[in-house]
Amino acid sequence: MTAGRILILGGTGEARALAGELASRPELAVVSSLAGRVRAPSLPAGSVRVGGFGGVDGLAGYLRDRRVDAVVDATHPFAATITASAVAASARTGVPLLALRRPGWTPGPEDRWTWVDTLAEAAGALAGLGERVFLTTGRLGLGEFAALDGHWFLVRSVDPPQPPVPRRMRVLLDRGPFTVDGERALLTEHRIDVLVTKDSGGQMTAAKLTAARQLRVPVVIQARPPAPDVPTETTVVGAVRWLDRLFEPR
Ligand code: NAP
């Protein structure tokens, strides 16, 4: 007998780990949802659906039609639109919503981090920090750096960046996890003066920050959008506990 139907809004390692944890629970019917942005996504265990829902109306309709009992928003901390949709659709339908959010990164005493709110601000912050830039903010939004002809960019992303892009640029298609040794070698080989990243948090991509600290490379880091005002867990274990409490027999 199905005790609960769960929708995981995914696209992250945590979402995949949660789907993997729940795959061995026959009493739960779990569907993971992906946006469909990445050409060859790492797929979670169990059922998967791909593509947008069509805004709040579409997501609320999906929750009602499929009689979903709980939603776990395990999307990336910067995926603010789908998170807002989940909050609104949950409020409209009464389906409980949990946010699974890994903690952000915090600088240590030896780090030289400049916090910014937008990529436009990040582009502005580069003046004076150096000419050779390692850009790890994803394949979108590079237009903010396109006018910086005085800089050279090493851009790392999973899929090729979308134009407009900087004129002087080299693209590295790769996805984590990365190692500190590998990141240090990359920064050294390309004579990187400054790293630009966003506060994604987590272990998969944190090595570049350690490498930057070791090589005394300054970091421009984009702060996260506001977190949703809903029950939140920071670990997969915490999310499983929340689901267990929700579905425990009364
Ligand atoms: P976004 O701006 O918040 O969402 C844009 C639209 O994409 C949403 O309105 C929704 O379309 C659709 N969408 C997003 N996530 C979805 C999901 N898990 N399932 C179904 N539809 C989804 O999102 P984004 O920043 O482009 O990120 C897209 C996906 O990539 C997310 O799943 C996220 O976890 C993952 N990701 C994002 C980043 C990042 O830096 N932003 C990094 C790594 C992974 P409708 O309105 O039509 O429902």
Side-chain angles (χ1 to χ4, degrees):
M1 197 190 95
T2 302
R5 288 188 229 354
I6 298 165
L7 175 66
I8 300 175
L9 299 171
T12 59
E14 288 80 0
R16 280 193 299 281
L18 178 61
E21 278 294 319
L22 300 179
S24 60
R25 312 271 288 265
E27 76 280 15
L28 299 176
V30 180
V31 174
S32 294
S33 175
L34 303 178
R37 295 286 155 71
V38 177
R39 276 191 304 200
S42 310
L43 288 175
S47 302
V48 177
R49 67 164 297 287
V50 180
F53 293 94
V56 178
D57 290 347
L59 181 53
Y62 181 98
L63 299 181
R64 282 201 201 99
D65 294 348
R66 312 284 166 123
R67 291 185 291 136
V68 172
D69 297 303
V71 180
V72 179
D73 172 15
T75 58
H76 192 272
F78 281 81
T81 308
I82 186 69
T83 289
S85 281
V87 171
S90 162
R92 193 184 293 177
T93 58
V95 177
L97 169 66
L98 176 77
L100 171 54
R101 282 283 174 289
R102 61 181 93 137
W105 290 315
T106 41
E110 289 166 21
D111 286 314
R112 286 174 58 202
W113 290 10
T114 302
W115 288 93
V116 294
D117 287 324
T118 63
L119 290 184
E121 260 184 69
L126 288 179
L129 288 179
E131 187 204 324
R132 298 178 67 84
V133 184
F134 184 23
L135 200 52
T136 65
T137 52
R139 73 192 169 93
L140 302 176
L142 299 197
E144 302 293 352
F145 302 89
L148 299 182
D149 283 345
H151 291 76
W152 177 88
F153 293 88
L154 177 65
V155 174
R156 183 168 66 195
S157 54
V158 176
D159 282 330
Q162 211 158 291
V165 294
R167 196 170 55 81
R168 301 172 62 215
M169 168 183 90
R170 174 156 172 199
V171 175
L172 204 57
L173 296 182
D174 206 353
R175 73 171 98 204
F178 302 105
T179 65
V180 174
D181 285 352
E183 298 291 58
R184 209 175 34 232
L186 200 65
L187 295 177
T188 307
E189 178 193 344
H190 294 284
R191 293 179 285 115
I192 295 299
D193 298 314
V194 51
L195 165 67
V196 180
T197 189
K198 48 190 183 187
D199 183 17
S200 298
Q203 285 309 307
M204 291 257 290
T205 58
K208 62 192 167 202
L209 296 167
T210 309
R213 180 185 316 133
Q214 290 175 353
L215 296 171
R216 301 186 183 284
V217 167
V219 176
V220 176
I221 182 163
Q222 185 185 1
R224 294 176 169 198
D229 187 14
V230 297
T232 300
E233 294 286 348
T234 56
T235 63
V236 171
V237 171
V240 171
R241 222 181 290 130
W242 183 84
L243 289 166
D244 281 341
R245 277 199 301 272
L246 198 64
F247 294 122
E248 76 191 2
R250 287 166 203 279

